Amino acid sequence: MDCQPEPRREEPVLECEKIWIFALLIAAGGYLGAFTYSLRGGVFCNAQTANVVLLSMALGNGQWSRALYYLIPIGAYILGAVISELLPNRVKRLHFLRWDTMLVGIELITVLLLGFIPDSWPFQISQVSINFICSMQYNTFRQAEHIPMSTTFCTNHVRQVGVLLTRGLRHREDASIRRRFRVHLLMLCSFAAGAVVSTLAAGIFGGPSIWGAGVLLLIVFADLAYADRTREKNMLYRKPSGH
C-alpha cells in the first residue's frame, strides 16, 4: 500500500495530515471497536469484512431475515462513505472550517450522545452510528505525512510492520523505510492502547465509557479547529494528500 518511495512535496503538510493526529484517531478507532465488542453486541463496527462474511453465510444457509439484518450496518457504512465524498466541497465553500475538522466534530457529538443511551436500548443504535462515523473517518483521513493510512482498523499496519521490518533488515541505510516502519508501529500500538483502555473503562463505567473516545476526538477537534482559524486559514482550499 505504501511501498513506493515517498513523494517529494514542497508544500508543508496540513495539520489534519500530521502523524500525531492520526495516532489519536486510530486510538479512538481501537477504543470504539473494543467498546462495541464489550458492551454493544460483541461486534466490531470499525470495518465491514465480518458483516459481509456473515451476510454471505446467512444467504448460504437460507436465513433471509438474518441476511437482511446485515444490510443495515453495511448500508450505514456505504452511506458514510457517500456523505464523506459529497460534503467536503460544500463545506469548503463556507471558508470557515475544513471538512476534516467538521467530521471530527460530528464524531465527537455522536460519541457524546451514545454515552447517554441506556444499556437496555437496542445495541443496533450504537452499532449503526459507529459504523457510520467510522466509514466517514476512514474515507477522510487517508495519508499521514504522505504515508497511506487507515485510522479505524489496523490490518494494513500489521502487514506493513512485517513488510518494512524485512526491508529494513535488507536495506539498513534507507532512512525512509525506518521512518515508515516506526509510523506503522506507532499506529498499531495506538490502536491497541485505545482498545486496552476501552476494555478497562467498559468494565468500570459501562455505557458512558464511550466518552473516553470523546476525549481523544475533542483533542483532535480543538487542534484542527485552531489551525483552520489561524495559521491554515488561507489553506482551507487545499485537499489533504490522497484525495
Side-chain angles (χ1 to χ4, degrees), residues 64-177:
W64 312 118
S65 59
R66 190 171 184 82
L68 286 174
Y69 165 75
Y70 288 115
L71 290 177
I72 297 174
I74 294 172
Y77 210 86
I78 292 173
L79 180 61
V82 169
I83 290 178
S84 64
E85 285 291 315
L86 294 177
L87 285 186
N89 286 333
R90 296 177 181 272
V91 170
K92 188 187 300 183
R93 296 192 195 107
L94 300 176
H95 203 72
F96 181 68
L97 293 175
R98 301 184 62 84
W99 160 248
D100 315 70
T101 307
M102 293 188 68
L103 167 60
V104 176
I106 293 170
E107 290 187 82
L108 176 58
I109 292 171
T110 302
V111 165
L112 290 176
L113 292 176
L114 290 178
F116 289 108
I117 293 180
D119 293 341
S120 59
W121 286 24
F123 294 153
Q124 289 79 5
I125 297 174
S126 297
Q127 292 173 2
V128 171
S129 299
I130 293 173
N131 277 317
F132 181 69
I133 62 175
C134 281
S135 174
M136 290 197 292
Q137 179 176 308
Y138 175 47
N139 193 46
T140 299
F141 292 88
R142 300 183 183 180
Q143 289 193 17
E145 299 183 19
H146 311 310
I147 302 176
M149 289 282 157
S150 62
T151 59
T152 57
F153 53 90
C154 61
T155 304
N156 182 59
H157 300 299
V158 174
R159 181 178 73 90
Q160 290 295 341
V161 165
V163 169
L164 295 168
L165 177 61
T166 304
R167 294 185 178 182
L169 293 174
R170 291 177 180 171
H171 309 283
R172 303 191 182 196
E173 72 287 351
D174 193 331
S176 67
I177 292 177

Side-chain angles (χ1 to χ4, degrees), residues 167-226:
R167 294 185 178 182
L169 293 174
R170 291 177 180 171
H171 309 283
R172 303 191 182 196
E173 72 287 351
D174 193 331
S176 67
I177 292 177
R178 294 197 301 272
R179 175 177 179 266
R180 294 201 303 276
F181 171 80
R182 290 194 299 269
V183 171
H184 283 291
L185 183 60
L186 170 64
M187 297 302 157
L188 182 57
C189 291
S190 297
F191 187 91
V196 168
V197 174
S198 177
T199 303
L200 294 172
I204 299 172
F205 302 108
S209 66
I210 196 175
W211 291 334
V215 173
L216 299 172
L217 294 171
L218 178 60
I219 295 171
V220 173
F221 177 77
D223 179 76
L224 295 183
Y226 179 78

Side-chain angles (χ1 to χ4, degrees), residues 37-51:
Y37 191 87
S38 299
L39 297 175
R40 296 295 183 263
V43 298
F44 299 110
C45 295
N46 308 54
Q48 292 304 299
T49 302
N51 282 330

Side-chain angles (χ1 to χ4, degrees), residues 8-76:
R8 300 296 180 182
R9 303 291 181 91
E10 293 183 359
E11 293 181 316
V13 295
L14 296 166
E15 189 68 16
C16 62
E17 299 175 287
K18 290 186 176 178
I19 288 171
W20 78 271
I21 291 290
F22 275 66
L24 290 183
L25 287 174
I26 198 171
Y31 196 105
L32 292 173
F35 173 82
T36 56
Y37 191 87
S38 299
L39 297 175
R40 296 295 183 263
V43 298
F44 299 110
C45 295
N46 308 54
Q48 292 304 299
T49 302
N51 282 330
V52 173
V53 171
L54 292 171
L55 167 65
S56 304
M57 291 174 63
L59 291 173
N61 291 324
Q63 299 171 324
W64 312 118
S65 59
R66 190 171 184 82
L68 286 174
Y69 165 75
Y70 288 115
L71 290 177
I72 297 174
I74 294 172

